[in-house]
Amino acid sequence: MKSLLMNIIAFLLLSIQLCSYAQTASASIRLNQVAFSTAGLKEAVVANTTANKFYVVTAYSGDTVFTGTLSDAKLWSYSNETVKIANFSGVDLPGKYAIKVPPDLTSYTFDILDRPFLAPGKAAMKGYYYQRASEALLSQYAYQWARKAGHPDTIVLVHPSAATALRPANTVIKAPKGWYDAGDYNKYIVNSGISMFTIFSMYEQYSKFLDTVSLNIPESGNGVPDVLNEAMWNLQWMLAMQDPNDGGVYHKLTNANFDGFIMPSAAVTTRYVVQKSTAATLDFAAVMAMAARIYKPYSSQFPGLADQCLSAAKAAWQWAGKNMAVFYNQTTLNSQYSPQIATGEYGDGYVIDEFNWAGIELYITTKDDSYIQGRLASLPTSLDVPYWGGVNTLGFISLAANKNNLTAVVDTSALFARLLTLANSLAASRENSAFHTAMGVSSGDFTWGSNSTAANQGMILLAAYNLRKDQKYYNAALANADYLLGRNGPGYCFLTGFGSKKVMHPHHRVSESDGVTEPVPGLLAGGVNPGQEDKCSGYVSSLPALSYMDAVCSYSTNEIAINWNAPCAFLLLGLEAANPNLVTSVKPTGQLKDFYLKQNYPNPFNPSTSISYSLTKRQNVSLKIFDILGNEIMTLVNKEEPAGQYAVKFNADKRSSGVYIYRLRTESFMETKKMVLLK
Ligand code: 9MR
């Protein structure tokens, strides 16, 4: 009873201390507010300080566990700040910490974990579930963000701009499902194109890891990886956007005007498919070609789907070949047709890159050289970070991801060198930049949706890391993940639901109108953008790296969008899947001091035996089980625990007989022991 009371008092005291960290957290220390990897690079930025030293302290007890020296100061012109880097990679024990810089700066708290990006990465992928059109979100999957279905899209009119002899104006078609594009409720093929690429490419590069990632969505457990289950929701909509009579694809499915800030179920104005476009049709062809190879192993769950996708891709490719310059220009459209359309444009008057990308995807899937033979010589030699209107690099990433499965027509080393050149320049940017991030080295990084630039740079870097296991690529990708999670100009964690300085008011109709205080989780805000196209009042700065406002009004810095979430999910989950440090991080940390382990496991071990230990003071504890090959199979404890006696059961119900190893770590002690499981 006494120890319970003491624990309660200790908990209250520590809670007060934690709150005080949150309140006094200094805006001058910018860092990932979510988590760092136990064995990976760990850096924070300290702005405008004369200090030379910094300290890492445990979040609860405030004990110093690491003393470091700050780097020399450098100016980041885009935020007009002089900053120093705090490298605390030496802290490798899981736990909750903060950074202190004399005389009086304290950072937000952060975790150190073996899998730091798993939770935010999964959330970013789950973000798509919350964007689903045409389906009610149930509380067992959506928690407090459960909502009614919106936009059945079973009655969609062919807009006069899209009229053909077989589908005259006002013909009713069905195009249900899909994801809402962003804060608005419209569905755009061009933007679905790059978003679907990114999710599919993530799967192609990390399938082994992603096969284990469950998102708790309605399809979970059907034998298909959840990443592919979620993408299927949008794929089915995309398929319905192709005119079966000619293979062309409508540019978008939209209202005439943006809805007000109402829930999807209340947004019931007429929906249209508008004019077909070359860009949309080629993006569609590329996505369908990818889908044809990626869903092929799941023919029992989706009978006939792979073939259907490939036929759809080929028909779209043919339409584009005959309609090479049909561009979507909303001003022109509105001068010729009514009703006028006022929603997002995604206009693209240059489509050589879309031809290149779609040709490459069709080639990879069919192994028919004719899709790229004529294009190979004119593929760009210099590559850019992709965005919805610039997709050349996507084909290169797919070639790299499928490098073992190409025909002789492709000179892989020459093409991959171009991808590596881009990655090399991003990695060099990280090393030389004031914030130690590739993001923010050029003014062109700060556009509408700048966070997707950071994330897409990360995607390129990880693709390079997958080609050549050079740690500089991984570390530069990691630094951009840190940027998204807090190491940035305004010091926000830009992924909703995470961090301490949180995005609370995204320009997102559901989040604003659902009556729930917290915004829908797992959505990436657009980020800093000096354009300030929304003309909202209240921006505190117009400097490129600081021009951001957490206000619903700010659609040009604080909207969310499917093409921004996708590279964020790619980056975070890719960092987990490719983490080079995961298991090699095990190293002894000291002598038995304030810790007592009761060696009471019998040999042979049996499924009901527990591992007992006692702590003489509050501290971070990690207790994990590994198989004999060193693969981590279970985390039993990974948190700060008060002083006390513990007995932790290794639930071996689903484990087969064999030899396992447990590793117990505290702040001053590490022990690994073999145990034999006999069932
Ligand atoms: O992401 C798009 C950005 O690149 C453009 O500059 C901007 C203005 O055309 O539009 C952005 O896309 C928006 C789309 O048009 C409508 N849905 C919301 C998108 C994100 O703001």
Side-chain angles (χ1 to χ4, degrees):
M1 189 60 202
K2 191 177 161 214
S3 89
L4 180 69
L5 197 64
M6 280 169 67
N7 278 343
I8 291 172
I9 292 169
F11 176 77
L12 289 174
L13 286 172
L14 296 168
S15 306
I16 291 165
Q17 190 167 8
L18 193 63
C19 286
S20 73
Y21 274 113
Q23 276 158 21
T24 59
S26 165
S28 307
I29 305 178
R30 315 280 164 67
L31 81 180
N32 170 342
Q33 295 160 21
V34 182
F36 294 86
S37 164
T38 34
L41 179 72
K42 293 180 252 317
E43 290 181 324
V45 162
V46 188
N48 305 326
T49 179
T50 54
N52 293 316
K53 293 259 178 246
F54 72 95
Y55 306 94
V56 179
V57 299
T58 56
Y60 292 93
S61 49
D63 292 349
T64 299
V65 295
F66 184 85
T67 303
T69 304
L70 293 169
S71 73
D72 290 342
K74 260 194 181 174
L75 175 72
W76 197 28
S77 61
Y78 296 116
S79 67
N80 196 25
E81 292 171 302
T82 301
V83 302
K84 297 181 176 182
I85 300 292
N87 183 321
F88 55 104
S89 305
V91 185
D92 65 354
L93 182 66
K96 194 175 269 306
Y97 302 93
I99 287 179
K100 280 183 175 275
V101 176
D104 55 3
L105 306 179
T106 304
S107 74
Y108 293 115
T109 58
F110 55 86
D111 285 333
I112 291 183
L113 302 172
D114 282 345
R115 287 209 168 276
F117 299 116
L118 187 58
K122 282 174 69 170
M125 194 57 225
K126 176 86 179 251
Y128 289 92
Y129 170 68
Y130 292 107
Q131 289 294 101
R132 285 188 187 190
S134 318
E135 184 182 61
L137 305 191
L138 306 179
S139 59
Q140 67 258 45
Y141 312 115
Y143 317 103
Q144 66 261 52
W145 299 279
R147 61 167 171 82
K148 289 186 197 149
H151 303 89
D153 287 338
T154 45
I155 301 177
V156 177
L157 303 188
V158 173
H159 187 263
S161 62
T164 57
L166 291 170
R167 283 186 168 184
N170 296 324
T171 302
V172 174
I173 69 163
K174 292 185 179 46
K177 302 189 179 178
W179 300 313
Y180 299 129
D181 182 58
D184 62 316
Y185 295 141
N186 304 297
K187 305 191 287 196
Y188 308 80
I189 287 287
V190 166
N191 208 34
S192 272
I194 187 167
S195 307
M196 294 291 274
F197 162 84
T198 308
I199 293 167
F200 284 159
S201 185
M202 169 172 80
Y203 186 75
E204 281 201 311
Q205 292 180 65
Y206 303 115
S207 58
K208 191 161 169 262
F209 173 73
L210 292 173
D211 285 349
T212 68
V213 169
S214 168
L215 299 175
N216 187 29
I217 54 179
E219 298 78 8
S220 295
N222 66 352
V224 178
D226 273 355
V227 165
L228 298 185
N229 275 326
E230 190 50 56
M232 178 59 65
W233 192 261
N234 203 52
L235 191 78
Q236 288 171 331
W237 164 66
M238 289 183 79
L239 280 166
M241 288 293 281
Q242 183 174 46
D243 183 345
N245 303 306
D246 62 10
V249 178
Y250 302 109
H251 192 74
K252 59 178 171 175
L253 190 162
T254 184
N255 303 346
N257 296 298
F258 285 117
D259 288 298
F261 276 72
I262 53 179
M263 288 299 278
S265 54
V268 294
T269 56
T270 308
R271 306 278 271 178
Y272 299 94
V273 286
V274 299
Q275 181 209 304
K276 294 162 191 161
S277 71
T278 312
T281 303
L282 288 168
D283 287 341
F284 173 100
V287 167
M288 291 304 156
M290 293 180 90
R293 60 178 187 262
I294 287 168
Y295 288 99
K296 202 161 181 101
Y298 302 102
S299 57
S300 60
Q301 289 89 349
F302 306 120
L305 179 90
D307 290 343
Q308 184 193 357
C309 290
L310 188 55
S311 305
K314 287 178 176 170
W317 178 253
Q318 277 165 15
W319 186 93
K322 289 185 227 141
N323 299 274
M324 296 179 72
V326 181
F327 303 136
Y328 185 80
N329 181 317
Q330 206 147 272
T331 311
T332 312
L333 179 138
N334 284 335
S335 69
Q336 294 172 7
Y337 304 102
S338 68
Q340 306 241 311
I341 303 291
T343 53
E345 183 165 35
Y346 291 117
D348 187 356
Y350 180 86
V351 294
I352 306 292
D353 51 327
E354 280 79 8
F355 272 107
N356 288 338
W357 174 37
I360 288 173
E361 298 300 353
L362 274 155
Y363 157 73
I364 293 171
T365 301
T366 60
K367 305 214 177 44
D368 175 347
D369 292 349
S370 70
Y371 284 110
I372 53 163
Q373 218 146 21
R375 317 199 70 81
L376 282 171
S378 57
L379 288 176
T381 49
S382 166
L383 295 179
D384 297 318
V385 176
Y387 78 107
W388 58 263
V391 294
N392 261 321
T393 306
L394 307 188
F396 284 72
I397 296 174
S398 283
L399 288 171
N402 290 277
K403 61 181 185 289
N404 299 324
N405 227 351
L406 305 174
T407 69
V409 75
V410 178
D411 176 356
T412 49
S413 62
L415 291 182
F416 296 169
R418 299 179 202 175
L419 199 54
L420 294 171
T421 301
L422 175 58
N424 287 340
S425 107
L426 293 169
S429 295
R430 175 191 101 74
E431 279 152 27
N432 301 324
S433 80
F435 261 57
H436 271 201
T437 55
M439 172 61 190
V441 167
S442 117
S443 63
D445 290 351
F446 300 106
T447 53
W448 192 320
S450 62
N451 282 339
S452 71
T453 307
N456 276 316
Q457 289 175 342
M459 176 177 76
I460 304 286
L461 286 158
L462 285 180
Y465 183 70
N466 288 344
L467 276 176
R468 306 264 182 282
K469 291 274 175 295
D470 185 333
Q471 186 85 23
K472 74 179 179 187
Y473 299 131
Y474 188 88
N475 284 347
L478 183 73
N480 271 16
D482 286 351
Y483 175 93
L484 297 177
L485 301 177
R487 189 163 115 212
N488 54 56
Y492 271 90
C493 176
F494 284 120
L495 187 68
T496 58
F498 288 85
S500 299
K501 191 171 181 184
K502 287 168 184 266
V503 173
M504 289 301 288
H505 308 288
H507 181 91
H508 183 241
R509 282 166 176 72
V510 176
S511 294
E512 184 60 10
S513 56
D514 62 3
V516 180
T517 306
E518 288 275 335
V520 170
L523 303 177
L524 184 69
V528 295
N529 169 19
Q532 300 187 359
E533 291 86 344
D534 48 54
K535 301 197 170 33
C536 300
S537 60
Y539 280 102
V540 290
S541 173
S542 56
L543 284 170
L546 297 178
S547 178
Y548 168 78
M549 195 165 47
D550 180 23
V552 177
C553 166
S554 182
Y555 56 79
S556 55
T557 74
N558 209 31
E559 191 163 355
I560 65 94
I562 56 171
N563 62 317
W564 306 340
N565 251 66
C568 177
F570 185 118
L571 176 57
L572 298 173
L573 291 171
L575 284 167
E576 284 308 332
N579 186 351
N581 301 308
L582 191 57
V583 174
T584 54
S585 70
V586 182
K587 44 179 154 60
T589 58
Q591 298 298 314
L592 181 64
K593 270 202 287 192
D594 47 20
F595 172 81
Y596 169 67
L597 172 67
K598 201 169 153 212
Q599 299 273 287
N600 73 340
Y601 67 91
N603 197 353
F605 191 81
N606 71 62
S608 61
T609 306
S610 57
I611 300 166
S612 305
Y613 58 93
S614 65
L615 302 175
T616 55
K617 69 168 194 177
R618 185 178 189 100
Q619 60 195 292
N620 293 311
V621 178
S622 143
L623 175 54
K624 299 187 165 198
I625 310 284
F626 298 84
D627 68 17
I628 197 67
L629 297 174
N631 300 311
E632 183 186 322
I633 58 165
M634 206 182 280
T635 296
L636 299 177
V637 181
N638 205 8
K639 60 177 194 245
E640 183 161 313
E641 291 186 319
Q645 306 277 335
Y646 296 88
V648 181
K649 207 172 136 183
F650 169 35
N651 183 343
D653 294 353
K654 293 192 183 133
R655 300 287 153 199
S656 42
S657 297
V659 178
Y660 294 86
I661 293 157
Y662 72 75
R663 185 189 83 193
L664 185 48
R665 294 180 82 195
T666 71
E667 290 176 13
S668 59
F669 177 78
M670 188 188 84
E671 172 116 85
T672 53
K673 283 272 178 212
K674 267 192 237 151
M675 52 192 187
V676 179
L677 176 63
L678 276 185
K679 299 180 94 173

